Amino acid sequence: MLFMGLAPKDEHTAYIISEHVDNGTLFGCLHNPKVQMDWSMRVGIAAQIARAMNYLHCCNPPITHRSLNALNVLV
């Protein structure tokens, strides 16, 4: 996903501006009976999320997401 920019909200919070993602949120995909996601795909997505969180936490200073859930994961 293309990172396009950052918009500060306050001293500790910012909005990430990115490209449009056609498939919506992970929550929407998991709860849509028309979307077929086998366990291999689900595990792959979970691994990608874990790698992304590891990257953020290894930054100096570390970055904390604070709202990681299926509604905030774009696919």
Side-chain angles (χ1 to χ4, degrees):
M1 182 169 66
L2 177 65
F3 171 79
M4 299 175 78
L6 195 67
K9 179 180 177 187
D10 57 42
E11 184 179 348
H12 301 289
T13 308
Y15 295 105
I16 295 173
I17 302 166
S18 67
E19 67 182 323
H20 174 75
V21 181
D22 288 334
N23 293 323
T25 67
L26 178 58
F27 182 89
C29 289
L30 292 172
H31 290 87
N32 183 346
K34 294 179 182 176
V35 177
Q36 298 296 318
M37 292 181 67
D38 61 18
W39 281 104
S40 173
M41 184 180 293
R42 293 175 189 221
V43 169
I45 291 171
Q48 290 178 36
I49 293 167
R51 282 193 297 275
M53 291 299 103
N54 183 59
Y55 173 81
L56 292 175
H57 294 169
C58 289
C59 290
N60 187 15
I63 300 170
T64 304
H65 190 286
R66 295 184 64 188
S67 186
L68 179 60
N69 61 64
L71 288 169
N72 291 331
V73 175
L74 303 176
V75 291

